[in-house]
Amino acid sequence: MSDPLADVVRLLTPAPSISKRVTAAGRWIVERRELGRPFYCAMVEGACRLTVAGRAPIRLEAGDFVLVPEAFAFACTSLEPPGPGAPRRPLELAPGVVRLGDAGAPADVVMLVGHCDFASPDRALLVSLLPEVVHARGAERLTALVRLIDDETRSDRAARGMVLARLLEVLLIDALRSAGGTGATPGLMRGLADPRLGAALRRIHAHPAHPHTVAELAAAAALSRTTFHERFRREVGAAPMEYVARWRISLAKEMLARRAAPIAEVAQRVGYGSTSAFSMAFARHVGAPPGVFAARTAGPPGAGVQPPAA
């Protein structure tokens, strides 16, 4: 049976970007504006306060880990924030080594901060399935993974890019595992935390080409159709057949981007009985027919099977 969490992380294609060692002392504040890039932080020593736009502040303590899959604006401050006019620019002591607050005082906060990218052509939809913020306490395993990423980032060892990509995948999976349950925002992790909905989600991911129906998925979840439909929408954030359609299009976009098969074969693999039906559904979701999308996103000739024009 397919693993929906592994499927989503694989399609996101996390790519390494920036890793920083940050120390701080006294009162300090740093603010960032990110264009929807993923942000993560492992607290090694001390405590601070993280405020993500639109959410209540989070107190981070030693051993904590936080992941924001799509960060647009956030601020990190000492527990007692500085007054107005305090410097908001960190001091870079060396490449990837940053100092906040009083540069002459012993550090009372140490954290490992990272940014990465999601190279998926369907990152927006996939990120929408994830919690808005993941906050884990006593996250020794996650902190160890962040240390490995930081160490690998600073190295010049062979296969460095591949190692970083795999470490990021493991970090994301482990972080998202910790985010299941009713406390998470609606999405894939909340759906998987529900044993009955989890059975239906695994069926959808394992057999994308199957002609799924609400009745069949409800039976897999051992729920009535009405109860299943309402529970799925509440926990996952989308109606069952809407999720099926979006997941099929996500798979199709990934296959087209890497030229895995001609358009007709892609259509069959994701459950469409004809190329024309697939093209109409694809254009409705993506805003462009499959051939146009493939031409815009596919790698150089020879990277895979060249899809014919739609």
Side-chain angles (χ1 to χ4, degrees):
M1 187 66 75
S2 179
D3 184 327
L5 175 55
D7 290 343
V8 168
V9 171
R10 177 181 63 83
L11 287 189
L12 277 170
T13 319
S17 179
I18 298 171
S19 181
K20 299 177 183 178
R21 297 175 184 175
V22 180
T23 61
R27 296 187 178 189
W28 50 271
I29 180 171
V30 61
E31 295 178 311
R32 295 297 300 267
R33 295 288 185 273
E34 299 290 331
L35 299 178
R37 296 172 65 198
F39 161 84
Y40 59 87
C41 171
M43 289 293 297
V44 180
E45 296 177 16
C48 67
R49 199 176 310 278
L50 175 69
T51 304
V52 179
R55 298 182 66 91
I58 301 171
R59 179 184 171 111
L60 299 178
E61 301 176 350
D64 283 11
F65 172 87
V66 66
L67 165 71
V68 184
E70 195 171 41
F72 288 97
F74 61 92
C76 196
T77 73
S78 51
L79 294 180
E80 294 186 29
R88 281 165 162 73
R89 287 187 172 275
L91 176 65
E92 187 168 7
L93 302 178
V97 180
V98 172
R99 177 70 174 198
L100 301 172
D102 187 347
D108 51 27
V109 169
V110 178
M111 50 187 156
L112 298 174
V113 173
H115 302 265
C116 64
D117 294 301
F118 293 145
S120 168
D122 205 19
R123 64 181 305 279
L125 183 145
L126 296 169
V127 168
S128 74
L129 300 176
L130 307 180
E132 294 175 2
V133 175
V134 175
H135 178 206
R137 293 201 179 278
E140 295 181 7
R141 179 180 164 102
L142 288 165
T143 299
L145 285 166
V146 176
R147 287 186 187 277
L148 286 171
I149 290 171
D150 183 69
D151 176 69
E152 193 67 28
T153 299
R154 297 169 197 286
S155 77
D156 193 24
R157 295 187 281 262
R160 172 176 168 272
M162 178 180 289
V163 171
L164 280 171
R166 298 298 175 267
L167 286 172
L168 279 170
E169 287 182 345
V170 175
L171 179 72
L172 283 172
I173 289 171
D174 233 37
L176 293 169
R177 279 173 174 172
S178 73
T182 56
T185 49
L188 180 65
M189 300 314 300
R190 241 169 80 169
L192 290 174
D194 183 318
R196 299 206 175 180
L197 296 184
L201 284 164
R202 284 188 288 273
R203 183 178 289 266
I204 293 168
H205 281 248
H207 308 289
H210 182 79
H212 296 289
T213 65
V214 173
E216 182 185 66
L217 293 171
L223 296 168
S224 70
R225 288 180 58 177
T226 301
T227 301
F228 170 73
H229 189 279
E230 293 176 353
R231 192 153 147 181
F232 195 100
R233 179 186 286 278
R234 181 180 68 248
E235 299 300 319
V236 180
M241 297 315 296
E242 178 187 354
Y243 184 92
V244 170
R246 289 164 63 184
W247 181 246
R248 286 171 171 169
I249 296 301
S250 291
L251 292 174
K253 290 173 78 171
E254 190 266 345
M255 285 188 274
L256 290 170
R258 63 184 175 87
R259 302 186 181 188
I263 290 175
E265 185 178 335
V266 171
Q268 291 181 343
R269 289 189 190 181
V270 297
Y272 289 89
S274 69
T275 303
S276 60
F278 169 64
S279 295
M280 290 178 61
F282 191 94
R284 185 169 62 251
H285 282 84
V286 180
V292 173
F293 174 83
R296 290 174 181 169
T297 60
V305 178
Q306 175 67 49

